[in-house]
Amino acid sequence: MDPFADTLQRLREAFSSGRTRPAEFRAAQLEGLSRFLQENKQLLQEALAQDLHKSVFESEVSEISISQNEINLALRDLRAWMKDEKVPKNLATQLDSAFIRKEPFGLVLIIAPWNYPLNLTLTPLVGALAAGNCVVLKPSEISKNTEKILAEVLPRYLDQSCFAVVLGGPQETGQLLEHKFDYIFFTGSPRVGKIVMAAAAKHLTPVTLELGGKNPCYVDDNCDPQTVANRVAFFRYFNTGQTCVAPDYVLCSPEMQARLLPALQSAITRFYGEDPQSSPDLGRIINEKNFQRLRGLLSCGRVAIGGQSDESDRYIAPTVLVDVQETEPVMQEEIFGPILPIVNVRSLDEAIAFITRREKPLALYAFSNSSQVVKQILAQTSSGGFCGNDGFMHLTVASLPFGGVGASGMGSYHGKFSFDTFSHHRACLLRRPGLEKIYALRYPPHTPRNLRVLLMAMETRCCSCTLL
Amino acid sequence: MQREVQRVRAAFGSGRSRALAFRRRQLEALRAMVQERERDILAALAADLSRSELNGYSQEVITVLMEIDLVLERLPEWAAAKPAQKNLLTMLDEAYIQPEPLGVVLIIGAWNYPFLLIIQPLIGAIAAGNAAIVKPSEVSENTAKVLTKLLPQYLDQDLYAVVNGGVEETTELLKQRFDHILYTGNAAVGKVVMEAAAKHLTPVTLELGGKSPCYVDRDCDLDVACRRIAWGKYMNCGQMCIAPDYVLCEPSLQDAIVQKVKEAVKEFYGENIKESPDYERIINLRHFKRLRGLLEGQKIAFGGEMDEATRYIAPTILTDVDPETKVMQEEIFGPILPIVPVQSAEAATRFINEREKPLTLYVFSRNSKLIKQMIDGTSSGGVVGNDVIMHFTLSSLPFGGVGSSGMGAYHGKYSFDTFSHQRPCLLKSLRGESVNKLRYPPNSQSKVDWAKLLVLKRFSRGKLSLLLLALLGVVVAVLIKACYH
């Protein structure tokens, strides 16, 4: 029994009918998404609070407003994005029409994660819908309360002949992936990313994989420890550390560490109070499994700050670990929790060597008063994205593509990049039947003279200089 | 295999391939190679495909030279950081996209344009600052030998390597880890490549194929159309991924098409086609036999002559072809042109949509509205109206497929982009920390309101300018305070 066949068939037929192509239809879908957010804000905030103990501030900033922003941008620029993109021509094609047509792929599958269950579902969805695709959405079953709203409420705002929500765990997702899609957008772990790509390979389906890794955070000796501590702490403990672009670990000298620790403690206390467990601004671990995993990591190195946990609440205190070995589990896997290990290096070069020895991360952070230091790290490393002297602010800039490289992912999105990701860029050359006498130069039988003339015509630079 | 890849990876790790000056020198060396060793290259192509030197030059060599010239001219522009438009939150920061090399790129070539399909991607890989391993097709042996001999003589031997072999060696090679794989070939192997790439999360560009349909409308200049179709179909003996694979037209046009294609063929290759230096041969016996099999049971309106000894197959046209027969089930990749009669342009569109998305769609018609309708109603890698193949030569157009005809694209700047990571960079300063108090916990309703305002870009003009002024005031005040701190 294939539970998905009918749904997929229905969506494919809707796509073939051409319903999703006109700009009006796409705009209507985007407006539907907008109304979904606005009319269900309270409901969504409650769900996010239930799933992740997310504060109103975090829900607003990192889930609702950011998604709304993407919708607004798409609505504003949709028609401009949809326009055929004219391209420069060579002499041979001067009189022709040459352009790139942006077309929907067809049936798109979006697999969303649990850590930003609203944002990481809606933002890709905006791109897929704006690009004119039909969409199957597989929200994470782990963020149960948000999943419920996405499954039951969201479809009411969209044309359901072109959009479907599919539910289930790893087994159902595996079954779903056996089907053919025209594009798959996956956000999650590298381990599952490989499974998704392997499944996509069977159907030659292109993919965007937004994965993760250990995002290094280099702290130079030349900086103000309190400012750095504020920023690092804020981005580390945001969403209880369950962020793919959170600073995962700090690299700094022992001297810097000594200055950083009290500053981190000060920041944590200022943010969450003396008893972080009672702060409404600190979230909780998503589920038992991750809680146990993170609690295990608390025994790595030595706890310098925090270290408390409460199983009944899935609470883990904002924690800083020191004296951590590279071989310990906390330095082997993406932490995805409110634990910040500090690893000592004796120089910038050692830090760079440490970073480049490992998998390319999704984000890389460097803190220094010296812009030269920041630029040096930037130049000698590779990562999905980079931010100097702050945390993951770069993803708030919609004109910057958001994605990984190497093990942290492939492809990117946000803003126009989302539209382009979910579009096939079709090269079009429309010629006239006339001028055949000139084209005759290209036909056999070939002579050196014909060849010379042909070459001149194919020269790409000719239109600008050689004619002058 | 592993050692070879490790050696190349270590060379990339040295950072040598990044400097623009280095990339230029390599590309200039590549150009020198093509210019100085033209004879050797053309001789290899002639040996592999029976292609005349003139054709070898115009079809492969010149494209490579033009690509190198284009890249050399535009490289500084392509490699430069691109400033990005900032939002209110990042107003005072530096935000840009920096293209970076990926690392070690694997390029797997095909036998039909054995030189071009290795060198053109290689140009892009070098331009983007990568190291590369190229695996020429073992089927076009002579070109593989020439590439193996020449590339190390002109290019940095540690950064760019040639690996040879058949299925076994390629399978072994694909077990290694690369940072991007560009494969040109068929869909079946494309799946194998992508599956292997998945194990390492390696992004891929797959330049595959399929059956590129060619719709000939009632309202078109049939003389011109048939000439162009004949040119594109029989070039390289039909062994081209973008050759018009089959023709769709109304039944009444069939005879005229056959007649005019026949005339064009005579014009191109003379009375005795076998003697024409411009007509190539089938690459090997296996493909020859495969193509021979496709003719079984078909109505041969023209051509059909074969000579196994020289692997010669005459330019051939089939009429009234049944879509269920073998010739319509696989990409032909040979000088056989089936005509499948359909009742109308709509019927042709339906026919095309019932099949896998092709690499290219060709439409011949004077009616630009009809052409537009066919484009709108179908999907394909690319489209050419009223001609064939030419989109390949315009490097400002991305060249690639969709669906089973491929994923990703290259040529010109698209090659550079394919082999680059576009890294978003945001550079802030450590000053102005007081402004950040807005974002830190403990949170409050006013902080929520501020955050909402700053994240969302949409608000009325009046409010916007007021807000901007207010914000600028705050920021300036804070900066002044911080500066004097």
Side-chain angles (χ1 to χ4, degrees), chain A residues 88 360 399 431 436 446 461, chain B residues 55 73 85 102 387 396:
Chain A
K360 294 176 186 176
S399 57
R431 318 202 75 192
E436 187 60 359
H446 293 304
R461 272 136 48 238
Chain B
N55 285 349
E73 188 189 316
Q85 194 184 33
L102 291 168
D387 205 351
S396 55

Side-chain angles (χ1 to χ4, degrees), chain A residues 88 101 105 231 359-360 378 383-384 386 388 390 396 399 424 426-427 429 431 436 439 442 446 461, chain B residues 55 73 85 87 102 177 228 357 375-376 380 383 385 387 396 421 423-424 426 428-429 433 439 443:
Chain A
R101 160 74 51 94
F105 278 107
R231 298 181 185 192
E359 293 295 348
K360 294 176 186 176
L378 181 53
S383 63
F386 180 92
D390 211 358
T396 67
S399 57
H424 166 51
R426 192 177 188 190
L429 181 64
R431 318 202 75 192
E436 187 60 359
Y439 295 146
R442 64 187 184 183
H446 293 304
R461 272 136 48 238
Chain B
N55 285 349
E73 188 189 316
Q85 194 184 33
N87 56 19
L102 291 168
R177 185 177 183 182
R228 297 181 180 188
K357 294 175 186 178
I375 296 177
D376 289 347
S380 61
V383 183
D387 205 351
S396 55
H421 170 52
R423 190 183 191 188
L426 184 62
K428 309 193 86 179
S429 103
E433 182 60 359
R439 66 186 188 185
N443 297 313

Side-chain angles (χ1 to χ4, degrees), chain A residues 21 41 55 57 60-61 65-66 68-69 72 76 87-90 93 98-101 103 105 180 182 190 193-194 197-198 200-202 204-206 209 211 223 227-228 230-231 234-235 270-272 281 359-360 364 367-369 374-375 378-379 381-390 393-394 396-397 399-401 404-407 410 417 424-434 436 439 442-448 451 455 458 460-461, chain B residues 18 54-55 57-58 62 66 69-70 73 84-87 89-90 94-97 100 102 177 179 187 190-191 194-195 197-204 206 208 221 224 227-228 231 267-269 278 356-357 361 366 371 375-376 378-387 390-391 393-398 400-404 407 414 421-433 436 438-443 447-448 451-452 455-458:
Chain A
R21 307 291 201 127
K41 190 144 137 183
S55 65
F57 179 86
E60 188 61 69
V61 156
S65 289
I66 204 165
Q68 185 67 59
N69 195 30
N72 294 346
R76 188 189 73 187
V87 299
K89 298 177 281 194
N90 56 20
T93 48
F99 57 92
I100 301 171
R101 160 74 51 94
E103 294 185 341
F105 278 107
K180 179 176 179 172
D182 300 306
K194 290 179 183 178
M197 189 172 172
K202 293 196 163 59
L204 288 172
T205 300
L209 305 175
L211 309 176
C223 73
T227 303
V228 173
N230 292 347
R231 298 181 185 192
F234 176 66
F235 288 102
R270 239 179 312 117
F271 293 172
Y272 308 112
D281 299 317
E359 293 295 348
K360 294 176 186 176
L364 213 159
F367 287 84
S368 176
N369 281 325
V374 171
K375 290 195 168 147
L378 181 53
T381 57
S382 185
S383 63
F386 180 92
C387 188
N389 291 322
D390 211 358
M393 288 302 287
H394 58 295
T396 67
V397 185
S399 57
L400 288 175
V405 67
M410 56 181 79
F417 300 102
H424 166 51
H425 298 228
R426 192 177 188 190
C428 301
L429 181 64
L430 304 184
R431 318 202 75 192
R432 312 244 209 102
E436 187 60 359
Y439 295 146
R442 64 187 184 183
Y443 302 139
H446 293 304
T447 64
L451 183 60
L455 298 188
M458 277 160 74
T460 41
R461 272 136 48 238
Chain B
R18 293 171 167 256
L54 216 55
N55 285 349
Y57 189 81
S58 69
I62 197 59
M66 277 176 15
D69 284 345
L70 175 71
E73 188 189 316
Q85 194 184 33
K86 298 177 282 194
N87 56 19
L89 290 168
T90 49
E94 245 186 283
Y96 57 91
I97 301 171
E100 295 184 341
L102 291 168
R177 185 177 183 182
D179 301 297
K191 290 179 184 179
M194 190 171 172
E195 251 183 82
K199 292 194 167 66
H200 295 291
L201 288 170
T202 300
V204 300
L206 304 177
L208 309 176
D221 185 334
V224 170
R227 207 110 151 284
R228 297 181 180 188
W231 172 65
E267 200 188 299
F268 296 165
Y269 307 113
D278 295 317
E356 292 296 344
K357 294 175 186 178
L361 168 69
R366 280 197 193 94
I371 296 182
I375 296 177
D376 289 347
T378 58
S379 184
S380 61
V383 183
V384 185
N386 289 319
D387 205 351
M390 292 303 285
H391 61 311
T393 67
L394 188 55
S395 60
S396 55
L397 283 174
V402 68
S404 63
M407 59 181 75
Y414 302 102
H421 170 52
Q422 304 286 349
R423 190 183 191 188
C425 302
L426 184 62
L427 304 183
K428 309 193 86 179
S429 103
L430 283 172
R431 295 191 299 259
E433 182 60 359
N436 281 337
L438 269 177
R439 66 186 188 185
Y440 299 146
N443 297 313
K447 281 191 183 177
V448 174
K452 204 169 137 183
V455 173
L456 282 174
K457 292 187 212 327
R458 273 265 186 109

Side-chain angles (χ1 to χ4, degrees), chain B residues 441-476:
Chain B
N443 297 313
S444 61
Q445 188 55 47
S446 79
K447 281 191 183 177
V448 174
D449 293 337
W450 265 110
K452 204 169 137 183
L453 215 57
L454 289 172
V455 173
L456 282 174
K457 292 187 212 327
R458 273 265 186 109
F459 26 86
S460 71
R461 269 191 189 228
K463 258 204 257 165
L464 169 59
S465 39
L466 220 75
L467 173 71
L468 261 173
L469 266 170
L471 212 69
L472 262 168
V474 169
V475 170
V476 168

